[in-house]
Amino acid sequence: MRKFFWWCAGADDTILEKCSKSEHVKYAGIGATVFFTGLLAGISGAYALYTVFDAAAMAIAFGLLWGAVIFNLDRFIVSTLRKEGKFWKELLQVTPRILLALVLAVVISKPLELKIFDKEIQAILKEKQAELAIQHKALVGKQFGEVDSVKSEIGAIRQEVEAKVQERNKLYEAVAAEADGTGGTGKVGRGPIYEEKKRQYDKVDEELKLLQASAADRILLKEKRISELMAKYDETVAEGQESFSNYDGLMARINALDELPWLPVFFITLLFICLETAPIFTKLISSKGPYDDILKGVEHERTTQEMQRVRERQKQYDTRQAVSEAKFFARTEYEVEAKREEERLKSDAHLEVVRESAAVWKERKLNDISRSPNTAADILNDGEENGYYKW
């Protein structure tokens, strides 16, 4: 386990084996901090994905991946921080990494905050769902205002029928009073006045029957229309309520978390910031120890060896380059010298050819002179004309 935590801290175990026990404990602590930070990040990432997709296998796979990413990043940050005994220089060196750690801490803490304050968030979500349902119902009610209009039309039809019934009843009372002598002419019996009132009553009664039949048909159609509208209204309201009942996704939970008192949430976030930045600050505030000196010496030695190898390779390259240039110059000089020798040989050969030609010409002319004296004078004259004897 100790060597595993050394590996988590990005330390060289062969160097640590040569150091004191305090160095062993220090780097084991740094490695444990890095490991548990990655583990906590994996749990947080898995819960966040499970909240969104509600799939355990996918959440576990993503949690492992996310934890590995955070672990590797923290291990890289800690392992590349070199202790030189200059705190402010080291702090300036790790400032960008601290900012990155702060961002990661906020990302890691948010899903776990959602889990910690789950009951409070559920209460806020239910309240929000109820408010949205009421608002939706009111909005749908405005959209289905035709129902009230149809109900008003039904009421108007019934009022019309009721008015006609009252008119018929009044006529009936007048006819009855005329028949028993309690009203009208005051005579008992069915006289002309009774007959007239009876005709009015029959007419109104017939109109009432027709109106009732027509009103029943119209009311039936309008009630059917109301039933259709109410069924559609109930369906729309039910769809809205179902959508609001699913109002518990990740974004909704984060918005609900923002409505909680900021102080508890801030302390939870601060806790995760401390956990995420713990590996860096642990390495930063730790004093320079034997491990750092040995590591610096090993790195310097390896750097020196590598520079020596680079210088040797450069020297070999320079030697090969010098030899190549020398060969080039020698070959060039040889070619120039060969060219000069060739020109000299050509010149000597040409001179030899001219001499041979002159000797042949001389011998031929001497033979001509020996054969005829006049020929010698012609040859001399010809030589003067051609410039052979001009000095």
Side-chain angles (χ1 to χ4, degrees):
M1 183 178 293
R2 182 182 61 183
K3 290 189 176 181
F4 171 72
F5 287 144
W6 287 354
W7 176 80
C8 293
D12 190 338
D13 56 348
T14 57
I15 297 178
L16 276 175
E17 291 289 352
K18 304 175 184 178
C19 299
S20 61
K21 189 175 181 180
S22 60
E23 291 291 289
H24 298 177
V25 175
K26 181 174 71 174
Y27 280 92
I30 295 173
T33 306
V34 173
F35 172 75
F36 287 113
T37 300
L39 180 63
L40 190 62
I43 295 173
S44 177
Y47 176 72
L49 196 73
Y50 182 77
T51 303
V52 176
F53 296 103
D54 197 19
M58 186 184 299
I60 292 173
F62 177 78
L64 292 174
L65 177 62
W66 180 246
V69 170
I70 300 301
F71 169 79
N72 182 68
L73 185 58
D74 285 342
R75 183 173 180 267
F76 167 76
I77 292 174
V78 170
S79 62
T80 54
L81 179 60
R82 294 289 181 265
K83 297 296 296 182
E84 299 179 359
K86 300 177 181 179
F87 176 79
W88 295 109
K89 181 180 179 181
E90 294 170 3
L91 180 61
L92 182 63
Q93 180 183 356
V94 300
T95 297
R97 300 171 185 174
I98 292 176
L99 295 177
L100 179 60
L102 292 176
V103 174
L104 292 175
V106 173
V107 173
I108 292 171
S109 66
K110 192 60 65 177
L112 292 182
E113 288 173 5
L114 296 176
K115 185 60 178 177
I116 293 171
F117 298 104
D118 184 63
K119 293 183 179 180
E120 291 79 3
I121 291 173
Q122 289 295 336
I124 293 175
L125 288 178
K126 288 180 181 179
E127 182 179 351
K128 189 68 175 178
Q129 289 171 1
E131 291 178 0
L132 292 175
I134 292 172
Q135 293 175 5
H136 178 71
K137 192 171 183 179
L139 181 62
V140 172
K142 290 180 181 180
Q143 294 177 351
F144 287 89
E146 184 182 353
V147 174
D148 295 332
S149 177
V150 175
K151 288 181 178 180
S152 299
E153 292 176 1
I154 293 175
I157 294 172
R158 287 176 177 171
Q159 288 178 0
E160 183 181 358
V161 173
E162 183 64 25
K164 184 62 71 174
V165 169
Q166 291 179 2
E167 182 183 0
R168 187 201 63 175
N169 291 340
K170 288 181 180 179
L171 289 175
Y172 178 78
E173 291 175 356
V175 171
E178 188 65 33
D180 58 14
T182 57
T185 60
K187 296 180 181 181
V188 178
R190 299 181 179 182
I193 300 300
Y194 169 84
E195 294 296 334
E196 179 63 25
K197 290 182 178 181
K198 182 67 170 61
R199 282 195 299 272
Q200 292 178 1
Y201 169 79
D202 292 338
K203 180 182 178 184
V204 172
D205 185 59
E206 185 66 25
E207 292 176 354
L208 176 60
K209 291 178 180 178
L210 293 175
L211 181 60
Q212 287 177 335
S214 173
D217 293 337
R218 284 187 293 167
I219 289 174
L220 182 63
L221 291 175
K222 293 185 181 299
E223 287 179 346
K224 184 177 180 181
R225 176 59 180 167
I226 290 174
S227 299
E228 293 175 355
L229 291 174
M230 291 305 297
K232 191 173 181 180
Y233 170 80
D234 293 337
E235 182 180 354
T236 305
V237 171
E239 290 176 356
Q241 291 178 348
E242 182 179 358
S243 64
F244 297 140
S245 64
N246 295 326
Y247 184 74
D248 59 350
L250 182 61
M251 199 64 206
R253 289 173 178 268
I254 292 175
N255 292 333
L257 181 64
D258 293 337
E259 297 182 12
L260 293 176
W262 68 273
L263 191 60
V265 178
F266 171 75
F267 277 113
I268 295 297
T269 305
L270 186 62
L271 172 63
F272 283 99
I273 289 175
C274 293
L275 290 174
E276 177 59 29
T277 56
I280 300 174
F281 281 108
T282 301
K283 184 68 178 290
L284 187 62
I285 64 178
S286 62
S287 59
K288 184 179 179 182
Y291 174 83
D292 300 295
D293 294 331
I294 297 174
L295 178 62
K296 185 176 181 180
V298 170
E299 290 180 344
H300 179 72
E301 181 181 355
R302 291 180 180 176
T303 303
T304 304
Q305 292 175 356
E306 185 61 29
M307 292 176 64
Q308 183 66 27
R309 283 195 293 269
V310 171
R311 285 195 295 268
E312 290 177 358
R313 286 196 295 267
Q314 184 66 36
K315 187 182 296 184
Q316 292 174 1
Y317 173 78
D318 293 341
T319 302
R320 288 195 299 269
Q321 190 71 14
V323 171
S324 177
E325 291 178 356
K327 289 181 178 180
F328 175 76
F329 290 142
R331 183 175 181 180
T332 303
E333 186 176 358
Y334 173 77
E335 291 178 353
V336 169
E337 187 63 27
K339 190 71 175 178
R340 289 177 182 173
E341 183 67 18
E342 181 183 0
E343 294 295 331
R344 188 179 63 79
L345 291 176
K346 286 182 179 180
S347 178
D348 293 344
H350 181 70
L351 182 60
E352 185 71 22
V353 169
V354 170
R355 287 176 178 174
E356 291 292 333
S357 298
V360 171
W361 178 80
K362 180 180 179 182
E363 184 179 359
R364 188 169 55 246
K365 294 301 180 182
L366 289 174
N367 293 330
D368 292 341
I369 292 172
S370 62
R371 287 194 304 269
S372 173
N374 294 329
T375 304
D378 294 337
I379 291 172
L380 292 173
N381 292 332
D382 183 57
E384 289 179 356
E385 291 176 359
N386 293 323
Y388 292 139
Y389 304 113
K390 293 180 179 180
W391 307 109

